[in-house]
Amino acid sequence: MSETIEANRQRAKDYFKAFASKDRDWLEANVRPDYVRHDETLPFDVVGPEGVLKLGDLLLGAFSDIELDVQDTVAENDKVLIRLRFRGVHSGPFGDLDPTGRRFDVAVLDLFRMEDGMIAEQWPAIDNATLQKQLGAQ
């Protein structure tokens, strides 16, 4: 496998560590300024490193003890698909839902597109139905 494909795979995996730790330096070095997260479930657009940090503020404010456990990766050309488990505790407001203190564990798929050695786009698929059920919203 080419060096570029392996570098893309590692960059996508490292994204989750940087996201969870709100590592501005890593995000600015590895996420394009015109990056877009294609996610209609959010109340705002996620664009560039600043958008990723804003999303981090939202999720890290709602959930504590977060684990982003990467379980599989598939990389080809400029794309990387990550399968992971998103785990934590609902410890802050999340949308209209007050904190419940409940633990959750949901499946996530994230497809990344790389450009010029940086993350250019992301398409998340989160099992929101299971998340809502585990938080007691359904």
Side-chain angles (χ1 to χ4, degrees), residues 1-16 26 30 73-82 110-121:
M1 190 164 293
S2 82
E3 266 184 51
T4 301
I5 290 174
E6 284 307 311
N8 288 345
R9 181 191 313 267
Q10 190 61 52
R11 186 174 297 105
K13 289 170 66 175
D14 291 345
Y15 168 87
F16 295 103
W26 189 95
N30 291 279
T73 64
V74 178
E76 182 176 296
N77 300 321
D78 65 344
K79 304 277 189 334
V80 179
L81 180 66
I82 302 277
D110 270 295
L111 178 64
F112 293 91
R113 184 181 69 80
M114 306 296 175
E115 186 177 318
D116 299 326
M118 299 179 82
I119 299 171
E121 292 181 277

Side-chain angles (χ1 to χ4, degrees), residues 35-48:
Y35 153 94
V36 174
R37 177 185 171 105
H38 302 278
D39 190 345
E40 300 298 320
T41 67
L42 295 173
F44 54 87
D45 293 333
V46 178
V47 177

Side-chain angles (χ1 to χ4, degrees), residues 9-101:
R9 181 191 313 267
Q10 190 61 52
R11 186 174 297 105
K13 289 170 66 175
D14 291 345
Y15 168 87
F16 295 103
K17 293 175 192 163
F19 176 82
S21 65
K22 296 170 65 173
D23 185 341
R24 176 182 292 277
D25 291 339
W26 189 95
L27 292 168
E28 288 178 353
N30 291 279
V31 173
R32 290 178 55 91
D34 58 349
Y35 153 94
V36 174
R37 177 185 171 105
H38 302 278
D39 190 345
E40 300 298 320
T41 67
L42 295 173
F44 54 87
D45 293 333
V46 178
V47 177
E50 287 300 323
V52 175
L53 290 166
K54 183 176 178 181
L55 176 60
D57 288 342
L58 174 79
L59 292 180
L60 298 172
F63 305 118
S64 59
D65 299 331
I66 286 180
E67 293 177 49
L68 298 168
D69 180 17
V70 174
Q71 305 203 321
D72 285 308
T73 64
V74 178
E76 182 176 296
N77 300 321
D78 65 344
K79 304 277 189 334
V80 179
L81 180 66
I82 302 277
R83 181 178 70 87
L84 63 99
R85 301 300 300 189
F86 175 39
R87 299 181 184 106
V89 176
H90 180 213
S91 55
F94 183 59
D96 295 335
L97 190 59
D98 290 331
T100 62

